[in-house]
Amino acid sequence: MARGQLIFISGGVRSGKSTYAETIVRTFGTTRKVYIASGQAYDEEMKERIERHRDDRLQDNWFTIEQAHKMGNAIEKLQPHDLVLWDCVTTWLANELYEGWETNNMCVDTAGCIEAKWESLQETIDQMLNTVDLLTVVSNEVLDDFVRDERYQAWLGKIHIWLVEKADQAIEMENGLAFRRK
């Protein structure tokens, strides 16, 4: 079975990385376009923003999967030959690391918790690549994010290194310009 292509795109906030990723997916082929969204609505403003983005994608014929946690659950919603855009690693990582913050029992403070989630994510990406024709993964730069926690930055760096090594193409975005790093 042929493996799907993996494209990893990283860039600063408002670098144009998500728009560029959408363009890649649109021009890659004619099969179903799938958008995996990692955002969560913690307040009304975020809820409205998520709904607006979902409606915009629907008008452009995207199938949206809302998957803030447990990325493996998205696999059952994928079809062979889908063209997938996952936006974004940074949001997923924050969701997973700080899961349990409401009860002061965060994953990041629990031995082995994030390691298990990371292992599951690696397996999930491999499974996705065995199903879809294209998986485009978007992420913010390691030090250009809203989370100022060294543990978060270290995990994001580790994930980026793995994705760059695994990717068929690795692209860095800056001011709307794409620079291929691999």
Side-chain angles (χ1 to χ4, degrees):
M1 181 176 203
R3 174 187 171 272
Q5 285 192 39
L6 175 61
I7 299 175
F8 175 61
I9 302 173
S10 178
V13 175
R14 305 225 188 294
S15 64
K17 62 191 174 295
S18 296
T19 301
Y20 187 74
E22 288 177 16
T23 301
I24 288 173
V25 173
R26 277 190 197 97
T27 59
F28 192 85
T30 58
T31 57
R32 186 173 79 146
K33 299 176 300 200
V34 177
Y35 194 103
I36 301 176
S38 302
Q40 290 189 82
Y42 289 111
D43 56 34
E44 278 303 310
E45 179 185 351
M46 189 61 166
K47 181 181 177 187
E48 290 173 9
R49 186 174 174 199
I50 288 171
E51 288 173 4
R52 186 178 67 247
H53 286 295
R54 186 184 316 119
D55 290 345
D56 288 347
R57 288 190 300 269
L58 185 60
Q59 292 174 18
D60 196 25
N61 296 316
W62 288 81
F63 176 78
T64 298
I65 299 172
E66 303 285 345
Q67 201 66 50
H69 291 278
K70 300 178 183 164
M71 192 57 64
N73 292 346
I75 291 172
E76 64 191 36
K77 299 170 188 160
L78 296 176
Q79 299 174 2
H81 307 294
D82 278 347
L83 307 174
V84 179
L85 168 55
W86 174 29
D87 197 359
C88 78
V89 172
T90 47
T91 306
W92 170 85
L93 180 61
N95 294 339
E96 295 291 4
L97 277 177
Y98 304 111
E99 180 180 41
W101 65 269
E102 307 91 335
T103 60
N104 205 24
N105 188 26
M106 294 186 295
C107 176
V108 70
D109 295 328
T110 304
C113 181
I114 194 61
E115 290 81 1
K117 291 175 185 276
W118 167 228
E119 186 175 309
S120 176
L121 179 64
Q122 289 173 305
E123 292 170 5
T124 296
I125 288 174
D126 285 337
Q127 289 174 350
M128 286 180 176
L129 289 172
N130 288 329
T131 301
V132 304
D133 286 350
L134 175 68
L135 174 58
T136 303
V137 178
V138 175
S139 186
N140 289 355
E141 293 175 342
V142 173
L143 297 175
D144 193 28
D145 210 352
F146 57 93
V147 181
R148 301 286 184 233
D149 180 334
E150 290 178 12
R151 299 170 297 182
Y152 171 85
Q153 293 168 344
W155 273 105
L156 186 58
K158 182 177 183 172
I159 292 168
H160 279 203
I161 290 168
W162 184 82
L163 284 167
V164 167
E165 289 173 353
K166 188 164 195 68
D168 298 292
Q169 292 182 52
I171 299 167
E172 182 179 344
M173 294 294 297
E174 188 169 322
N175 297 321
L177 301 173
F179 300 93
R180 290 190 194 269
R181 298 299 182 205
K182 179 178 179 187

